[in-house]
Amino acid sequence: VAALSQGGHDALVCALPANVLLLTGYWPVIGSAIALVTKDARVALVAPADERDLAEGGWADDLHTFEPGSLAELREARTAAATPLATVLREAGLSSGSARIAFEGGAAMEPSSYVSLHVYGGAMRTLLEDALPRAQLVDGSELIARLRAVKTRREVECIARSCAVAERAFRAGAGHVVANSSEREIAAAFAAGLEAAARGEERSGGFVFCMSGPNAAKAGRAYARSRARAMAQGEVALVHCNSHLGGYWTDITRCYCAGAPGAPAADMYDAVLEARAAALDALRPGARARDVDRAGRAVLERRGYGSAFTHGTGHGVGFAAIDHNAIPRVHPASPDILEPGMVFNIEPGIYLDGVTGIRHCDVVALGEHGIRVLTAFHDSVGELAIG
């Protein structure tokens, strides 16, 4: 409400599932739900009828449902949602006069909430124009980014619970990092651990990848991929996990070694963990995100690995797992200032092409008086060397 008032907006309308979760406490399944928050704190949700039982678990004051289609009629979500959306806008007092409505007007990274995800895209502007022909529609991307950056206490605890499930999966999966196991087999073992760790939870899931030996050096690229390669004794297995619980995401990487690490992996482990400690030590409210990046990066430069650390030290985590534009961007060029309530990752890494890669990625919550590492496990070489 304060953000709407500051921006001079009468309401904010969102349809991307992560943003609907932000506004209503409900993470849509197929992406066709629409959330509305007004400057007088009214929260409304328009959702498919099939999702009613899940949507009622959120905190929307008003819930309107629609039927996307039937055997009698083929309808797009845009057509089906138009009438209940117009009703919600009218009941919110926005249909008379020239209201100023913020909505998702820019590009975004969106985690998948189902096998196939509906995205309104440009149709959202059309829906709002049809319902409110005199409204002033403005791009609310910056407003949404700021709202997502600083988590409420409840949101921090939801992310912490998601991290706790992932931790149990990592602890269960680590024993499967053995020589002659393939990357796909190792990834599958961790994924099975993730499923077991979330037993009893209504909505959970995620992705696990393993990249071993020289393939681990490719983990600094835009995506991870498990291959059929079998790892050898003494090699590194980089295990990367993005998991969710009720729409709140984790971003965790651990590098396990089948046996004691040899050269140069042993020195790489030591350098990455030293960089992690330096970055964590630089975290405090009011710190510049680029200074935190500098603290960790300086360690790797001093150790001779500066050119092998090819990405920023971190980014916002929680409403998505991987979004390098999520505030705070812990990056050499970042303008962001750290605030209490921010949740982000710290992920120093070394990637030596043709040799191996080491990355240690934690999820961290910043409070008024310090930090809380939500993934405080397997953070020493002794714990990461298996067997």
Side-chain angles (χ1 to χ4, degrees):
V1 169
L4 289 173
S5 177
Q6 185 177 4
H9 307 302
D10 293 295
L12 171 64
V13 176
C14 291
L16 291 176
N19 295 333
V20 174
L21 173 65
L22 170 76
L23 300 184
T24 71
Y26 170 60
W27 192 41
V29 178
I30 59 173
S32 55
I34 303 172
L36 167 77
V37 173
T38 66
K39 65 181 180 181
D40 58 356
R42 196 69 184 171
V43 180
L45 177 63
V46 173
D50 286 351
E51 298 182 26
R52 173 182 282 278
D53 58 331
L54 295 172
E56 288 174 342
W59 56 70
D61 301 299
D62 303 303
L63 173 59
H64 294 253
T65 62
F66 61 89
E67 294 287 351
S70 69
L71 292 177
E73 182 183 12
L74 288 170
R75 289 196 297 175
E76 295 181 350
R78 177 181 63 176
T79 304
T83 297
L85 177 61
T87 299
V88 162
L89 294 169
R90 183 180 67 254
E91 291 177 350
L94 299 170
S95 57
S96 60
S98 182
R100 180 179 168 90
I101 310 295
F103 73 108
E104 299 153 331
M109 294 283 288
E110 182 66 21
S112 178
S113 53
Y114 191 61
V115 177
S116 180
L117 187 64
H118 176 271
V119 178
Y120 283 98
M124 181 53 66
R125 174 178 281 275
T126 302
L127 273 171
L128 292 172
E129 287 174 341
D130 288 346
L132 302 173
R134 292 190 291 168
Q136 180 186 1
L137 303 180
V138 296
D139 184 353
S141 300
E142 184 176 345
L143 166 65
I144 295 166
R146 295 301 309 174
L147 290 173
R148 287 172 60 141
V150 180
K151 276 70 173 178
T152 65
R153 185 176 301 175
R154 174 190 176 279
E155 288 164 347
V156 172
E157 292 308 315
C158 287
I159 299 167
R161 287 184 60 234
S162 189
C163 288
V165 168
E167 177 181 345
R168 294 196 292 273
F170 269 87
R171 291 189 181 279
H176 294 271
V177 180
V178 295
N180 299 318
S181 292
S182 74
E183 295 175 4
R184 289 174 183 162
E185 289 170 337
I186 294 170
F190 277 80
L194 193 62
E195 176 114 2
R199 191 165 294 148
E201 299 289 351
E202 189 168 59
R203 297 181 67 191
S204 63
F207 305 88
V208 183
F209 305 94
C210 175
M211 304 173 77
S212 67
N215 284 345
K218 302 173 184 178
R221 300 179 183 179
Y223 61 92
R225 180 162 68 95
S226 303
R227 299 166 173 83
R229 181 186 186 277
M231 68 180 299
Q233 187 71 15
E235 283 190 332
V236 170
L238 186 151
V239 178
H240 176 71
C241 172
N242 297 128
S243 60
H244 65 80
L245 192 65
Y248 297 94
W249 287 80
T250 74
D251 187 12
I252 306 169
T253 303
R254 293 293 185 268
C255 289
Y256 298 100
C257 189
D267 188 63
M268 293 167 66
Y269 269 112
D270 189 59
V272 165
L273 292 175
E274 184 183 347
R276 169 189 184 263
L280 292 177
D281 190 57
L283 296 176
R284 60 184 57 85
R288 297 186 299 182
R290 65 173 176 266
D291 290 342
V292 177
D293 179 275
R294 181 74 249 156
R297 195 171 299 277
V299 171
L300 298 183
E301 289 174 349
R302 175 171 52 79
R303 299 287 295 261
Y305 297 112
S307 62
F309 183 22
T310 55
H311 54 72
T313 301
H315 52 76
V317 174
F319 289 105
I322 301 178
D323 181 350
H324 294 281
N325 289 316
I327 301 170
R329 295 154 292 185
V330 187
H331 183 279
S334 177
D336 302 333
I337 304 298
L338 300 186
E339 301 176 39
M342 286 183 167
V343 179
F344 48 94
N345 64 344
I346 293 293
E347 53 174 349
I350 300 171
Y351 312 100
L352 299 182
D353 286 341
V355 182
T356 195
I358 304 283
R359 179 172 72 229
H360 195 94
C361 180
D362 283 307
V363 180
V364 178
L366 183 64
E368 292 281 357
H369 305 292
I371 63 169
R372 177 182 172 191
V373 180
L374 303 181
T375 52
F377 66 92
H378 292 174
D379 51 13
S380 69
V381 176
E383 293 176 295
L384 295 166
I386 308 300

